[in-house]
Amino acid sequence: MKKTIFLSALFISGFAFISRDKDNDPGEKNKQLAAKPIIIYTTALGTNFRLSTTDTLTFKDFGQPLETQPCIFVDPTKSFQTFMGIGGALTDASAETFAKLPKEKQQEFLQAYYHPTKGIGYTLARTNIHSCDFSSGSYTYVADGDKSLSSFSVDHDKQYRIPFIKQAIAAAGGKLTLFASPWSPPAWMKDNNTMLQGGKLKKEYYQTWANYYTRFIKAYEKEGIPVWGLTIQNEPMAKQTWESCIFTAEEERDFLKKYLGPTLKKDGLGNKKIIVWDHNRDLIYQRSSTLLDDPEAAKYAWGIGYHWYEDWSGADQVFENLKRVAERYPDKNLLFTEGCNGPFNMDSVNNWDLGERYGKSMINDFNNGTVGWTDWNVLLDEQGGPNHVKNFCFAPIHANTKSGELIYTNAYYYIGHFSKFIRPGAKRIISSASRSPLLTTAFKNSDGKTVVVVMNTASKEMPFHLWVAGKAAQTKALPHSIMTFVF
């Protein structure tokens, strides 16, 4: 017995010795960390900094910080969800506005969003299945009453939207993860006989409506636009003056497990990702539990989509609800599917809080388990449209269609502090602030680079140390700024 113990100890000791190479030795890692530069990119109120390279730092031995020394603590040894991308919606409104721009401005726009180094590197996109509020009018892809869908055609979209999406895909290097969402079934399928004002899908049209999704996917893919996934219904608990349709959680569950899921599978589209809910964070736990506690529904659901408009009630956004869902359903994905600022006012396009809302949401959403983040319209005109019910809002970039000018709001730059540096396949790691005005999240890219985003919500400068494994670099966050550290 003693001999066996001795040999085991010898083996363990030898293994420890063998594994202490340059990649695993903590001392060696600290030497490597100290030798690598930290590149800082900054966007700040009252300056010309817009995703600007503002400093290069190096780590130095630091050890235990004092309480009087604010820090951002980063721990790359613990990882969480895998990042899939950031992007925005390619709507009719965006496509129509894009078509009105001069060719050189169209190219500037495409590069600004989709080029990985000259732009902010969007890799994710959403589009609408027939019309939504950000269309010039209501329309569908079939003739009224055509239950067989024999008249189905996406010819309407060939004028603006399909060419626009194809150019965005090309600008992104030939690949863009695209998902689609319906705002309402055709009026004749609904109990209120209109695409607007809520209403419900009639039970006798559940199968017809499920078939409609597959027709859309196949039609778009025939046009050379791959569809990665879809949401079942945009904002299924909202009666709107525009295209809308009400589904209770039970109705959405039953539609998914009895109609949509099986239909996609039967039509050879079982690989398409289905996203449930697609509404605000307020009801997300109840909605998720009703759908995902049913094994027959859950097997078809890739994840849960959500928006940020729960503050319509006058209360704050409820980021913690995302964490509850991630804790309860760790095998499902959280995807931010829509958010925008509004109502639109051209006099407010330079307001700093437009971008700060994005920064606050993105940091909290990622820290609570979100894998991808999709803004609403990528481009709108000088009125915050077109929109056929005057529901005008802000986009990160606006176009003055009369002058051809592109207007970049600071929301574009705030989003870029994430999308330009955090790439698909990255893993979220721990980043923790010792002062509440500093918001932070961090990821490690598959190429080994660490990306730390720090947002200063205060009206005063905030000095701090970026601290990793007993080493730190001293820096400061300008008032109302966002910074990205890459090392």
Side-chain angles (χ1 to χ4, degrees):
M1 180 64 72
K2 288 182 179 178
K3 186 182 289 187
T4 304
I5 294 169
F6 173 76
L7 289 173
S8 297
L10 186 63
F11 175 78
I12 292 166
S13 175
F15 179 78
F17 175 76
I18 291 166
S19 66
R20 195 180 293 129
D21 56 23
K22 286 188 176 182
D23 291 331
N24 292 306
D25 180 22
E28 185 63 34
K29 279 190 172 182
N30 273 356
K31 288 179 186 176
Q32 292 174 3
L33 187 66
K36 293 183 190 273
I38 310 162
I39 311 300
I40 304 178
Y41 302 85
T42 305
T43 295
L45 176 66
T47 73
N48 292 323
F49 297 151
R50 299 294 182 272
L51 274 172
S52 306
T53 308
T54 51
D55 207 351
T56 301
L57 306 176
T58 54
F59 285 105
K60 296 178 181 177
D61 289 334
F62 195 72
Q64 174 65 57
L66 303 174
E67 288 185 325
T68 55
Q69 295 174 308
C71 288
I72 299 292
F73 300 106
V74 179
D75 183 359
T77 66
K78 174 63 178 173
S79 62
F80 302 91
Q81 76 270 24
T82 301
F83 176 79
M84 66 171 288
I86 291 170
L90 305 171
T91 58
D92 290 317
S94 295
E96 291 170 30
T97 303
F98 178 82
K100 294 174 183 176
L101 288 170
K103 292 294 182 186
E104 65 274 13
K105 288 297 181 180
Q106 290 182 347
Q107 293 308 306
E108 178 188 328
F109 166 86
L110 291 168
Q111 179 175 282
Y113 269 126
Y114 297 102
H115 197 281
T117 55
K118 297 178 182 177
I120 60 172
Y122 270 13
T123 56
L124 191 57
R126 184 191 192 202
T127 198
N128 44 295
I129 296 175
H130 59 229
S131 65
C132 65
D133 49 333
F134 280 90
S135 303
S136 291
S138 293
Y139 67 91
T140 72
Y141 300 131
V142 294
D144 285 354
D146 179 14
K147 190 173 182 178
S148 70
L149 306 183
S150 58
S151 60
F152 192 97
S153 171
V154 294
D155 283 353
H156 171 280
D157 298 356
K158 292 179 182 178
Q159 183 177 6
Y160 296 115
R161 184 149 48 110
I162 286 174
F164 176 56
I165 294 174
K166 290 173 84 168
Q167 288 189 70
I169 292 171
K175 183 182 178 183
L176 199 57
T177 301
L178 176 75
F179 65 97
S181 304
W183 267 243
S184 171
W188 53 272
M189 293 188 191
K190 296 173 65 184
D191 62 4
N192 66 345
N193 295 308
T194 174
M195 294 177 72
L196 317 181
Q197 299 289 345
K200 290 196 173 191
L201 176 66
K202 292 179 180 178
K203 290 289 175 65
E204 61 262 37
Y205 291 119
Y206 270 37
Q207 186 58 57
T208 304
W209 186 226
N211 295 340
Y212 203 100
Y213 295 78
T214 67
R215 292 292 184 96
F216 172 83
I217 292 169
K218 289 181 177 181
Y220 260 57
E221 294 196 336
K222 187 177 179 181
E223 294 298 320
I225 299 174
V227 178
W228 168 82
L230 52 87
T231 73
I232 297 175
Q233 168 64 45
N234 177 73
E235 300 186 348
M237 289 305 294
K239 177 184 176 181
Q240 306 284 23
T241 58
W242 52 88
E243 287 84 342
S244 47
C245 185
I246 305 298
F247 281 84
T248 65
E250 292 78 10
E251 288 166 341
E252 185 179 7
R253 177 197 65 199
D254 292 348
F255 178 68
L256 171 61
K257 74 176 181 179
K258 295 178 182 178
Y259 297 93
L260 183 58
T263 299
L264 287 173
K265 185 177 180 181
K266 177 176 67 70
D267 288 355
L269 300 173
N271 64 326
K272 304 304 178 185
K273 311 305 183 191
I274 301 176
I275 300 157
V276 302
W277 186 219
D278 198 14
H279 205 161
N280 298 328
R281 303 183 191 96
D282 48 7
L283 302 180
I284 193 169
Y285 189 86
Q286 174 268 336
R287 196 76 178 203
S288 299
S289 61
T290 302
L291 281 139
L292 302 180
D293 285 349
D294 184 317
E296 288 303 305
K299 71 182 183 182
Y300 293 115
W302 172 86
I304 308 100
Y306 67 93
H307 301 180
W308 73 11
Y309 308 114
E310 68 268 13
D311 56 2
W312 63 267
S313 65
D316 292 333
Q317 292 171 309
V318 283
F319 300 110
E320 283 286 310
N321 287 354
L322 303 177
K323 188 177 182 180
R324 300 288 87 82
V325 173
E327 289 169 339
R328 177 67 179 83
Y329 305 101
D331 59 328
K332 300 300 180 183
N333 299 281
L334 284 164
L335 179 66
F336 184 88
T337 49
E338 185 187 314
C340 70
N341 289 302
F344 179 77
N345 181 339
M346 181 57 89
D347 294 336
S348 300
V349 292
N350 294 317
N351 281 11
W352 203 254
D353 57 4
L354 295 178
E356 287 195 328
R357 186 178 186 188
Y358 279 85
K360 180 181 179 183
S361 179
M362 295 176 84
I363 288 170
N364 281 284
D365 290 340
F366 288 133
N367 286 346
N368 284 296
T370 295
V371 301
W373 212 93
T374 324
D375 184 33
W376 190 206
N377 305 275
V378 291
L379 178 69
L380 293 172
D381 66 17
E382 65 275 13
Q383 294 183 315
N387 184 297
H388 69 91
V389 290
K390 303 187 185 305
N391 180 37
F392 303 125
C393 73
F394 287 94
I397 302 178
H398 284 267
N400 184 326
T401 57
K402 297 178 177 65
S403 67
E405 175 192 11
L406 287 175
I407 304 160
Y408 294 78
T409 75
N410 76 313
Y412 167 82
Y413 300 103
Y414 267 71
I415 295 169
H417 274 273
F418 303 85
S419 61
K420 187 178 178 72
F421 305 103
I422 308 165
R423 305 307 294 164
K427 294 276 191 180
R428 184 173 66 84
I429 58 175
I430 290 173
S431 185
S432 174
S434 68
R435 294 290 187 274
S436 61
L438 298 176
L439 308 181
T440 181
T441 192
F443 286 80
K444 191 167 186 176
N445 283 321
S446 53
D447 65 0
K449 287 186 178 177
T450 297
V451 178
V452 183
V453 180
V454 178
M455 177 177 160
N456 181 12
T457 61
S459 299
K460 63 179 182 179
E461 186 175 286
M462 297 284 293
F464 67 93
H465 287 81
L466 182 68
W467 190 100
V468 184
K471 291 188 177 293
Q474 188 170 4
T475 185
K476 62 184 178 182
L478 296 173
H480 291 288
S481 66
I482 187 167
M483 310 166 75
T484 301
F485 299 79
V486 182
F487 56 92

